[in-house]
Amino acid sequence: MCSSAKSVGSLVHVFCVNYMSNHLLSLWDFDKQQLYSYIRRALQLKREAREGIRHHQLDGKVIGLIFEKPSTRTRVSFESAMYGLGGQVIYLSGRDTQLARNEPLKDMARVMARYVNAMVVRTFGQEVVEELGRYSTVPVINALTDLFHPCQVLSDIMTVEEVKGEIGKLKIAWVGDGNNMANTWIQAASRLGFELKLACPQGYDPDPGILAAAVKEAVKPITLLRDPVEAVRDVDVINCDVWASMGQEHEQNERVAVFQPYQVNRELLAAAKLSATVLHCLPAHRGEEITDDVLEGAQCCAFDQAENKMHIHKAILEIHILAEG
Ligand code: CP
Ligand code: NVA
């Protein structure tokens, strides 16, 4: 999909030939080297934040956050990231825009691009961010759709690399729903070359097209299982998420019954490596997909993941906005 590369300082980024700007719509828009450029830059920005170094590279730039679903972490970390680089933010909830009154996405994209230097969008359909991307002359960043959550998985991978080292040498498990996070981890496994074992109940599998394409490209196994104990056996990282994602609240009760064997608790953790790290992108439903003691335990990195969202969002904004000149 993407072809021509442009240098941004020491960072290399790619423009997608289908688009008039460089968007972040899915991890598959990027190769391994590009995915690592976000992570390396985020780690550097994190160190510099700790040292009190102030940044101004996005002085005079403005981003628009268009969020049609609720958010604590993604919204605040994008806002904090943008202010931390010297820029400004305009936040629009689903109710605030004319999208709520069916203004065409192609009009919204072209209008917003006249006002802001990038759009960060949280919505339902992946086709919404893709349609915005087709018409926008400024970067469109996917801040979660029903299909993908690419910025989250970048910060999760950054966290894994900090805690456990190179992800390509690790075995990772996904336990629970085959949702937007699972789909994105599958993409990451194929692009970054790590082993991924998923355990999902029947009827709640990840997107079959994404899984098939990833398995074809992958250099290490990506396996879909039913048994959570088998999935976590010998893994370095156990990953989980809510059983009912945003927009599926009406399925909550039936999902709680189906997903019970997929709870990440002490017993399940015992089947993984003793040193295994637990990831949860948050928000968590304690007592459902994860027990309170595991979430609060020393093996769980959920709050580091949450912090790293801000550093990775700084890297994303810097790379994509500066690439536009
Ligand atoms: N992890 C995550 O995306 O959290 P929010 O829904 O609070 O943004
Ligand atoms: N799968 C969850 C992720 C929340 C960050 C959802 O889409 O609601």
Side-chain angles (χ1 to χ4, degrees), residues 70-75 122 144 149 152 246 281-283 309:
S71 170
T72 300
R73 279 146 289 270
T74 308
R75 174 185 173 175
R122 170 168 285 199
L144 181 145
H149 198 359
Q152 178 69 51
M246 289 180 274
C281 64
L282 302 176
K309 284 171 73 74

Side-chain angles (χ1 to χ4, degrees), residues 65-174:
L65 261 56
I66 305 162
F67 275 40
E68 298 195 284
K69 289 178 177 179
S71 170
T72 300
R73 279 146 289 270
T74 308
R75 174 185 173 175
V76 178
S77 57
F78 261 113
E79 293 201 13
S80 181
M82 190 59 181
Y83 290 127
L85 298 177
Q88 302 288 318
V89 180
I90 298 167
Y91 177 82
L92 297 164
S93 78
R95 285 192 309 277
D96 297 326
T97 74
Q98 294 286 7
L99 287 180
R101 296 174 64 241
N102 295 326
E103 180 170 21
L105 289 165
K106 60 184 181 182
D107 293 357
M108 173 80 171
R110 287 173 292 177
V111 169
M112 285 295 291
R114 305 277 179 122
Y115 304 140
V116 299
N117 300 98
M119 279 179 256
V120 178
V121 183
R122 170 168 285 199
T123 187
F124 293 87
Q126 179 69 13
E127 66 281 1
V128 172
V129 290
E130 285 172 8
E131 177 81 347
L132 289 171
R134 263 190 290 283
Y135 289 92
S136 174
T137 50
V138 300
V140 176
I141 312 292
N142 180 352
L144 181 145
T145 63
D146 292 343
L147 198 63
F148 297 128
H149 198 359
C151 300
Q152 178 69 51
V153 173
L154 284 173
S155 57
D156 297 348
I157 291 164
M158 172 184 172
T159 310
V160 170
E161 294 250 340
E162 282 182 311
V163 176
K164 307 209 85 76
E166 200 187 323
I167 200 163
K169 297 187 175 147
L170 304 176
K171 286 185 191 170
I172 314 270
W174 175 269

Side-chain angles (χ1 to χ4, degrees), residues 171 232-236 269-277 299:
K171 286 185 191 170
V232 303
R233 190 166 293 131
D234 290 331
V235 299
D236 304 282
L269 221 55
K273 284 185 183 163
L274 266 180
S275 60
T277 293
Q299 285 171 265

Side-chain angles (χ1 to χ4, degrees), residues 209-226:
I210 292 164
L211 182 60
V215 166
K216 207 166 157 194
E217 163 182 316
V219 292
K220 298 263 179 76
I222 300 176
T223 328
L224 177 59
L225 305 161
R226 297 280 171 240

